[in-house]
PDB file of all heavy atoms in Angstrom:
ATOM      1  N   MET A 114      36.626  14.878   3.344  1.00 90.00           N
ATOM      2  CA  MET A 114      37.259  13.610   3.709  1.00 90.00           C
ATOM      3  C   MET A 114      38.216  13.138   2.602  1.00 90.00           C
ATOM      4  O   MET A 114      39.339  12.726   2.876  1.00 90.00           O
ATOM      5  CB  MET A 114      36.152  12.578   3.953  1.00 90.00           C
ATOM      6  CG  MET A 114      36.544  11.339   4.684  1.00 90.00           C
ATOM      7  SD  MET A 114      37.185  10.082   3.600  1.00 90.00           S
ATOM      8  CE  MET A 114      35.731   9.729   2.619  1.00 90.00           C
ATOM      9  N   LEU A 115      37.776  13.252   1.345  1.00 94.00           N
ATOM     10  CA  LEU A 115      38.613  12.770   0.235  1.00 94.00           C
ATOM     11  C   LEU A 115      39.836  13.658   0.018  1.00 94.00           C
ATOM     12  O   LEU A 115      40.890  13.185  -0.407  1.00 94.00           O
ATOM     13  CB  LEU A 115      37.792  12.657  -1.056  1.00 94.00           C
ATOM     14  CG  LEU A 115      36.671  11.605  -1.049  1.00 94.00           C
ATOM     15  CD1 LEU A 115      35.964  11.573  -2.395  1.00 94.00           C
ATOM     16  CD2 LEU A 115      37.211  10.216  -0.696  1.00 94.00           C
ATOM     17  N   GLU A 116      39.700  14.938   0.317  1.00 94.00           N
ATOM     18  CA  GLU A 116      40.834  15.855   0.132  1.00 94.00           C
ATOM     19  C   GLU A 116      42.019  15.501   1.030  1.00 94.00           C
ATOM     20  O   GLU A 116      43.173  15.746   0.675  1.00 94.00           O
ATOM     21  CB  GLU A 116      40.396  17.310   0.346  1.00 94.00           C
ATOM     22  CG  GLU A 116      39.946  17.931  -0.968  1.00 94.00           C
ATOM     23  CD  GLU A 116      39.326  19.312  -0.831  1.00 94.00           C
ATOM     24  OE1 GLU A 116      39.076  19.747   0.305  1.00 94.00           O
ATOM     25  OE2 GLU A 116      39.089  19.931  -1.884  1.00 94.00           O
ATOM     26  N   THR A 117      41.748  14.885   2.185  1.00 93.00           N
ATOM     27  CA  THR A 117      42.842  14.504   3.083  1.00 93.00           C
ATOM     28  C   THR A 117      43.720  13.416   2.447  1.00 93.00           C
ATOM     29  O   THR A 117      44.836  13.180   2.884  1.00 93.00           O
ATOM     30  CB  THR A 117      42.321  13.974   4.443  1.00 93.00           C
ATOM     31  OG1 THR A 117      41.590  12.761   4.225  1.00 93.00           O
ATOM     32  CG2 THR A 117      41.432  14.990   5.144  1.00 93.00           C
ATOM     33  N   ARG A 118      43.215  12.763   1.401  1.00 95.00           N
ATOM     34  CA  ARG A 118      43.996  11.708   0.720  1.00 95.00           C
ATOM     35  C   ARG A 118      44.817  12.267  -0.440  1.00 95.00           C
ATOM     36  O   ARG A 118      45.398  11.518  -1.217  1.00 95.00           O
ATOM     37  CB  ARG A 118      43.055  10.611   0.224  1.00 95.00           C
ATOM     38  CG  ARG A 118      42.267  10.014   1.380  1.00 95.00           C
ATOM     39  CD  ARG A 118      41.283   8.986   0.907  1.00 95.00           C
ATOM     40  NE  ARG A 118      40.383   8.637   2.007  1.00 95.00           N
ATOM     41  CZ  ARG A 118      39.476   7.684   1.947  1.00 95.00           C
ATOM     42  NH1 ARG A 118      39.330   6.971   0.834  1.00 95.00           N
ATOM     43  NH2 ARG A 118      38.707   7.432   2.976  1.00 95.00           N
ATOM     44  N   LEU A 119      44.822  13.565  -0.582  1.00 98.00           N
ATOM     45  CA  LEU A 119      45.624  14.287  -1.568  1.00 98.00           C
ATOM     46  C   LEU A 119      45.466  13.802  -3.015  1.00 98.00           C
ATOM     47  O   LEU A 119      46.441  13.406  -3.656  1.00 98.00           O
ATOM     48  CB  LEU A 119      47.104  14.256  -1.156  1.00 98.00           C
ATOM     49  CG  LEU A 119      47.373  14.753   0.263  1.00 98.00           C
ATOM     50  CD1 LEU A 119      48.871  14.644   0.590  1.00 98.00           C
ATOM     51  CD2 LEU A 119      46.910  16.199   0.456  1.00 98.00           C
ATOM     52  N   PRO A 120      44.247  13.867  -3.532  1.00 98.00           N
ATOM     53  CA  PRO A 120      44.070  13.604  -4.971  1.00 98.00           C
ATOM     54  C   PRO A 120      44.638  14.778  -5.761  1.00 98.00           C
ATOM     55  O   PRO A 120      44.848  15.854  -5.201  1.00 98.00           O
ATOM     56  CB  PRO A 120      42.554  13.526  -5.132  1.00 98.00           C
ATOM     57  CG  PRO A 120      42.018  14.368  -4.026  1.00 98.00           C
ATOM     58  CD  PRO A 120      42.989  14.238  -2.881  1.00 98.00           C
ATOM     59  N   LYS A 121      44.884  14.555  -7.058  1.00 98.00           N
ATOM     60  CA  LYS A 121      45.375  15.650  -7.906  1.00 98.00           C
ATOM     61  C   LYS A 121      44.288  16.714  -8.039  1.00 98.00           C
ATOM     62  O   LYS A 121      44.563  17.909  -8.018  1.00 98.00           O
ATOM     63  CB  LYS A 121      45.738  15.064  -9.281  1.00 98.00           C
ATOM     64  CG  LYS A 121      46.393  16.009 -10.237  1.00 98.00           C
ATOM     65  CD  LYS A 121      46.844  15.225 -11.461  1.00 98.00           C
ATOM     66  CE  LYS A 121      47.146  16.143 -12.616  1.00 98.00           C
ATOM     67  NZ  LYS A 121      47.143  15.368 -13.879  1.00 98.00           N
ATOM     68  N   SER A 122      43.035  16.281  -8.193  1.00 98.00           N
ATOM     69  CA  SER A 122      41.901  17.203  -8.303  1.00 98.00           C
ATOM     70  C   SER A 122      40.625  16.479  -7.886  1.00 98.00           C
ATOM     71  O   SER A 122      40.562  15.249  -7.950  1.00 98.00           O
ATOM     72  CB  SER A 122      41.750  17.705  -9.744  1.00 98.00           C
ATOM     73  OG  SER A 122      41.356  16.644 -10.597  1.00 98.00           O
ATOM     74  N   ILE A 123      39.634  17.254  -7.449  1.00 98.00           N
ATOM     75  CA  ILE A 123      38.294  16.683  -7.201  1.00 98.00           C
ATOM     76  C   ILE A 123      37.260  17.611  -7.824  1.00 98.00           C
ATOM     77  O   ILE A 123      37.225  18.804  -7.522  1.00 98.00           O
ATOM     78  CB  ILE A 123      37.926  16.573  -5.691  1.00 98.00           C
ATOM     79  CG1 ILE A 123      38.902  15.708  -4.921  1.00 98.00           C
ATOM     80  CG2 ILE A 123      36.510  15.981  -5.537  1.00 98.00           C
ATOM     81  CD1 ILE A 123      38.452  15.426  -3.486  1.00 98.00           C
ATOM     82  N   ASN A 124      36.436  17.055  -8.703  1.00 98.00           N
ATOM     83  CA  ASN A 124      35.293  17.784  -9.237  1.00 98.00           C
ATOM     84  C   ASN A 124      34.042  16.956  -8.995  1.00 98.00           C
ATOM     85  O   ASN A 124      34.128  15.775  -8.663  1.00 98.00           O
ATOM     86  CB  ASN A 124      35.469  18.049 -10.736  1.00 98.00           C
ATOM     87  CG  ASN A 124      36.434  19.199 -10.993  1.00 98.00           C
ATOM     88  OD1 ASN A 124      36.428  20.206 -10.296  1.00 98.00           O
ATOM     89  ND2 ASN A 124      37.288  19.035 -11.995  1.00 98.00           N
ATOM     90  N   VAL A 125      32.893  17.599  -9.203  1.00 98.00           N
ATOM     91  CA  VAL A 125      31.622  16.931  -8.924  1.00 98.00           C
ATOM     92  C   VAL A 125      30.700  17.007 -10.135  1.00 98.00           C
ATOM     93  O   VAL A 125      30.556  18.066 -10.750  1.00 98.00           O
ATOM     94  CB  VAL A 125      30.909  17.601  -7.725  1.00 98.00           C
ATOM     95  CG1 VAL A 125      29.526  16.983  -7.503  1.00 98.00           C
ATOM     96  CG2 VAL A 125      31.753  17.504  -6.457  1.00 98.00           C
ATOM     97  N   CYS A 126      30.086  15.879 -10.449  1.00 98.00           N
ATOM     98  CA  CYS A 126      29.022  15.858 -11.455  1.00 98.00           C
ATOM     99  C   CYS A 126      27.758  15.356 -10.765  1.00 98.00           C
ATOM    100  O   CYS A 126      27.738  14.249 -10.229  1.00 98.00           O
ATOM    101  CB  CYS A 126      29.401  14.939 -12.614  1.00 98.00           C
ATOM    102  SG  CYS A 126      28.102  14.844 -13.860  1.00 98.00           S
ATOM    103  N   ALA A 127      26.729  16.182 -10.737  1.00 98.00           N
ATOM    104  CA  ALA A 127      25.462  15.801 -10.099  1.00 98.00           C
ATOM    105  C   ALA A 127      24.368  15.714 -11.149  1.00 98.00           C
ATOM    106  O   ALA A 127      24.271  16.572 -12.028  1.00 98.00           O
ATOM    107  CB  ALA A 127      25.077  16.832  -9.046  1.00 98.00           C
ATOM    108  N   LEU A 128      23.573  14.682 -11.055  1.00 98.00           N
ATOM    109  CA  LEU A 128      22.458  14.541 -11.990  1.00 98.00           C
ATOM    110  C   LEU A 128      21.442  15.661 -11.786  1.00 98.00           C
ATOM    111  O   LEU A 128      20.988  16.272 -12.737  1.00 98.00           O
ATOM    112  CB  LEU A 128      21.781  13.175 -11.780  1.00 98.00           C
ATOM    113  CG  LEU A 128      20.542  12.915 -12.622  1.00 98.00           C
ATOM    114  CD1 LEU A 128      20.907  12.819 -14.096  1.00 98.00           C
ATOM    115  CD2 LEU A 128      19.837  11.648 -12.157  1.00 98.00           C
ATOM    116  N   LEU A 129      21.113  15.919 -10.514  1.00 98.00           N
ATOM    117  CA  LEU A 129      20.074  16.904 -10.199  1.00 98.00           C
ATOM    118  C   LEU A 129      20.583  17.918  -9.189  1.00 98.00           C
ATOM    119  O   LEU A 129      21.370  17.569  -8.300  1.00 98.00           O
ATOM    120  CB  LEU A 129      18.837  16.200  -9.616  1.00 98.00           C
ATOM    121  CG  LEU A 129      18.228  15.091 -10.469  1.00 98.00           C
ATOM    122  CD1 LEU A 129      17.162  14.339  -9.677  1.00 98.00           C
ATOM    123  CD2 LEU A 129      17.636  15.653 -11.753  1.00 98.00           C
ATOM    124  N   ASN A 130      20.132  19.145  -9.297  1.00 98.00           N
ATOM    125  CA  ASN A 130      20.522  20.200  -8.360  1.00 98.00           C
ATOM    126  C   ASN A 130      19.295  20.940  -7.857  1.00 98.00           C
ATOM    127  O   ASN A 130      18.493  21.427  -8.648  1.00 98.00           O
ATOM    128  CB  ASN A 130      21.470  21.183  -9.060  1.00 98.00           C
ATOM    129  CG  ASN A 130      22.033  22.221  -8.105  1.00 98.00           C
ATOM    130  OD1 ASN A 130      22.338  21.909  -6.949  1.00 98.00           O
ATOM    131  ND2 ASN A 130      22.168  23.448  -8.564  1.00 98.00           N
ATOM    132  N   LYS A 131      19.153  20.966  -6.517  1.00 97.00           N
ATOM    133  CA  LYS A 131      18.070  21.764  -5.912  1.00 97.00           C
ATOM    134  C   LYS A 131      18.724  22.999  -5.301  1.00 97.00           C
ATOM    135  O   LYS A 131      19.008  23.034  -4.104  1.00 97.00           O
ATOM    136  CB  LYS A 131      17.383  20.973  -4.797  1.00 97.00           C
ATOM    137  CG  LYS A 131      16.565  19.785  -5.242  1.00 97.00           C
ATOM    138  CD  LYS A 131      15.856  19.196  -4.013  1.00 97.00           C
ATOM    139  CE  LYS A 131      15.219  17.880  -4.320  1.00 97.00           C
ATOM    140  NZ  LYS A 131      14.675  17.238  -3.097  1.00 97.00           N
TER     141      LYS A 131
END
Side-chain angles (χ1 to χ4, degrees):
M114 196 274 295
L115 295 182
E116 269 173 351
T117 64
R118 302 177 191 186
L119 306 178
K121 186 173 164 198
S122 68
I123 301 188
N124 282 320
V125 175
C126 178
L128 176 67
L129 305 171
N130 186 38
K131 291 185 190 173

